């Protein structure tokens, strides 16, 4: 029992050892992710080297180029030591399509490393990010040192400034996903103003609107490039065929064009925004025209660049792209659907969300513009691509100038639509007692002395009030239920003439206790009125009806009523009366 007790008492040490082993495993995972990315680029470069009919160097040179290209994918600039001018020429245009490979590898690795194993706990969030980043940077440092003696070495300072931030951000995104993408409060060391501002719902709305606006802007830029390439299809074909005469070289050019397709989308977005892009020092391409003399190298994607001279209305139609992006930002902030239980913050919150979304769109476009461009050499090719601060400022201005008015207008329109049913609801409701009570059968006309063969002596009676409708005859269609008759004393109730009393439950048609065929009041049994009705019916029948008085219906007896009672089930009925 002693060994078991000692093992149980030392469980914290085992747990600590497990966490250390998890951190070591995360570091190894990061190194493996870097090796997978480097190996993929190496395979691609070796295939191009093997298929090339006239390679400039041997396998060692191809491996050095692969290491340099892998560092270029992470944002580091390459340097061509031998150029036509003799001076080293930098290469800083990063194919953005290839950046997705290392980012995805680091993201998946960090996500898997942050998940706890079955037999030991996983590392902490900070530990996972740090371990994966450290393992990846170890391989990056080895690749930087190996590519130094090759034909395309990477600049050490550029690699140190671009490689660690990219890897750390991708690893942080993977760890955040592994923990369920929490959106709770930030740690206490973050300033309170920032924590409160990020926790507001309008901040999340602004982030979503910025993502939608950025997607519309980049999609519109890609459409502009595709349309221009289709317009200049002949020039693009001549450029592809003129650069290489063998299929391997043309395939390499096509692969490079595919890798630079996201760069072209950013350039198209910059062109639609207005600042455009540079094709060398002093050569700007904008919708208003092309200034300077372009010295761009022949390349299929560059065939989409408009011709020199002032722009026409065809070039000005590129402004549809930023207009659509600004409208998308405004629609999301002002006219989008709210979630369940979300509070409508009003016009001020809509304007603030649209303004914040515009700032985020400008920042994202500026980063993409800086990554999509760069130098391709010295001299006039030192500036190639969009200028990041101009492009970002134009994107923020378009998004704010269109997004804020659209958001405020749509929010005001939606609030008016939400308030319309509330204001019109009282006008549609009407009290149940406002409708006049109408009878399904017309009241019989009073009999005259000439029509009555045996008039009864008049008797003083009280005002019978409105007579209710009689029951329908057997075999006839059912008549609608009569409405309740208000009390005759309702108009004389205290508090003013004409006041209507609320009907009792038995007289309310909407109440379950309502009885449409209740006992008729005693005034219905007035003998004079009954005799008059019977005489009118006999005259209308043409002498076919017997001349006996009608039987009195069951009910409370009226004062002074001496008429015989209604016959029962086995009663042959009252005796006939001779005229």
């Amino acid at each position: 029992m002693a060994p078991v007790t000692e093992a149980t008492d030392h469980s914290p040490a085992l747990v600590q050892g497990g966490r250390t082993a998890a951190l070591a495993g995360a570091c190894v995972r990061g190194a493996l992710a870097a090796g997978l990315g480097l190996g993929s680029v190496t395979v691609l470069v070796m295939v191009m080297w093997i298929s090339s009919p006239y390679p400039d160097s041997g396998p060692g040179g191809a491996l050095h180029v692969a290491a340099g290209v892998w560092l270029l994918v992470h944002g580091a600039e390459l340097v061509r030591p031998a150029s036509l001018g003799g001076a080293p020429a930098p290469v800083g245009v990063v194919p953005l399509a290839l950046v997705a490979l290392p980012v995805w590898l680091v993201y998946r690795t960090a996500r898997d490393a942050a998940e706890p194993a079955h037999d030991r706990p996983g590392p902490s969030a900070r530990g996972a990010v740090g371990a994966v980043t450290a393992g990846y940077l170890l391989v990056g440092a080895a690749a930087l040192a190996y590519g130094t003696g090759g034909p395309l070495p990477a600049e050490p300072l550029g690699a140190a400034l671009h490689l660690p931030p990219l890897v750390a951000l991708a690893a942080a995104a993977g760890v955040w996903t592994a923990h369920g993408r929490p959106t709770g409060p930030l740690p206490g060391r973050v300033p309170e103003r920032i924590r409160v501002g990020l926790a507001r719902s309008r901040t999340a709305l602004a982030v979503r609107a910025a993502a939608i606006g950025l997607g519309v802007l980049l999609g519109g830029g890609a459409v502009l490039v595709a349309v221009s390439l289709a317009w200049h299809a002949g020039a693009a074909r001549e450029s592809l065929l003129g650069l290489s005469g063998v299929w391997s070289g043309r395939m390499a050019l096509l692969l490079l064009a595919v890798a630079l397709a996201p760069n072209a989308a950013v350039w198209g977005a910059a062109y639609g925004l207005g600042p455009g892009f540079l094709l060398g020092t002093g050569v700007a391409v904008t919708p208003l025209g092309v200034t300077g003399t372009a010295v761009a190298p022949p390349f299929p994607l560059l065939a989409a660049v408009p011709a020199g001279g002032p722009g026409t209305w065809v070039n000005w139609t590129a402004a549809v792209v930023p207009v659509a992006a600004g409208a998308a930002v405004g629609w999301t902030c002002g006219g989008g659907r709210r979630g369940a239980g979300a509070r409508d913050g009003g016009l001020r919150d809509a304007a603030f969300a649209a303004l914040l979304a515009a700032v985020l769109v400008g920042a994202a476009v500026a980063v993409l513009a800086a990554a999509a461009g760069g130098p391709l050499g010295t001299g006039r090719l030192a500036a190639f691509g969009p200028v990041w601060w101009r492009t970002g400022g134009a994107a923020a201005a378009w998004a704010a100038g269109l997004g804020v008015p659209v958001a405020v207008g749509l929010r005001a329109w939606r609030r008016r639509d939400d308030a319309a049913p509330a204001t019109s609801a009282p006008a549609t409701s009407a009290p149940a007692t406002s409708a006049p009570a109408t009878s399904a059968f017309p009241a019989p006309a009073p009999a005259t002395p000439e029509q009555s063969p045996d008039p009864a002596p008049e008797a003083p009676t009280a005002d019978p009030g409105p007579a209710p409708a009689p029951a329908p005859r057997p075999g006839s269609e059912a008549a609608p239920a009569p409405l309740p008759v208000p009390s005759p004393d309702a108009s004389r109730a205290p508090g003013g003439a004409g006041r209507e009393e609320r009907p009792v439950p038995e007289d309310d048609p909407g109440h379950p206790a309502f009885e449409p065929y209740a006992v008729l009041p005693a005034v219905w049994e007035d003998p004079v009125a009954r005799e008059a009705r019977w005489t009118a019916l006999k005259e209308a029948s043409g002498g076919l009806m017997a001349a006996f008085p009608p039987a009195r219906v069951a009910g409370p007896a009226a004062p002074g009523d001496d008429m015989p009672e209604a016959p029962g089930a086995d009663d042959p009925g009252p005796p006939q009366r001779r005229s």
Side-chain angles (χ1 to χ4, degrees), residues 190-411:
V190 180
E192 182 179 1
R193 179 176 298 180
I194 298 178
R195 286 189 284 110
V196 172
L198 294 178
R200 291 177 178 174
S201 59
R202 62 185 182 186
T203 304
L205 180 63
V207 172
R208 184 167 65 252
I212 295 175
L214 181 62
V216 173
L217 194 61
L218 295 179
V223 170
L224 290 180
V225 173
V227 171
S228 183
L229 277 178
W231 189 272
H232 302 87
R237 181 175 179 275
E238 292 178 2
S239 175
L240 177 63
L241 297 179
L243 286 176
S244 178
V246 295
W247 67 269
S248 58
R250 294 172 183 175
M251 185 62 63
L253 288 175
L254 288 178
L255 292 178
L256 182 58
V258 171
L260 291 174
N263 301 59
V266 176
W267 291 17
Y271 181 81
L273 288 170
F277 49 88
L278 301 178
L279 287 181
T281 305
V283 181
V285 181
T286 64
L288 299 179
V290 179
T291 59
T293 303
V295 291
F299 192 71
L301 284 180
L302 295 180
V305 177
T312 61
W313 65 270
V314 178
N315 306 99
W316 301 339
T317 55
V320 175
V321 174
V323 169
V329 170
W331 179 267
T332 306
C333 294
R337 293 183 178 271
R338 299 186 300 270
R343 181 181 64 88
D344 189 357
L347 305 181
R348 183 176 180 181
D349 282 358
F352 182 83
L355 187 61
L356 181 58
V359 174
L360 294 177
V361 168
V365 170
V367 172
L368 291 176
L376 281 180
T378 58
R380 303 191 63 177
L381 291 180
F384 200 79
V387 181
W388 66 269
W389 60 270
R390 293 179 183 175
T391 308
W398 277 100
L402 291 175
V404 173
V406 171
V408 172
L410 288 178
R411 183 64 61 88

Side-chain angles (χ1 to χ4, degrees), residues 537-561:
L537 291 175
K538 186 178 70 172
E539 292 292 338
S541 64
L544 298 178
M545 296 182 63
F548 54 83
R552 183 173 64 88
V553 298
D561 188 6

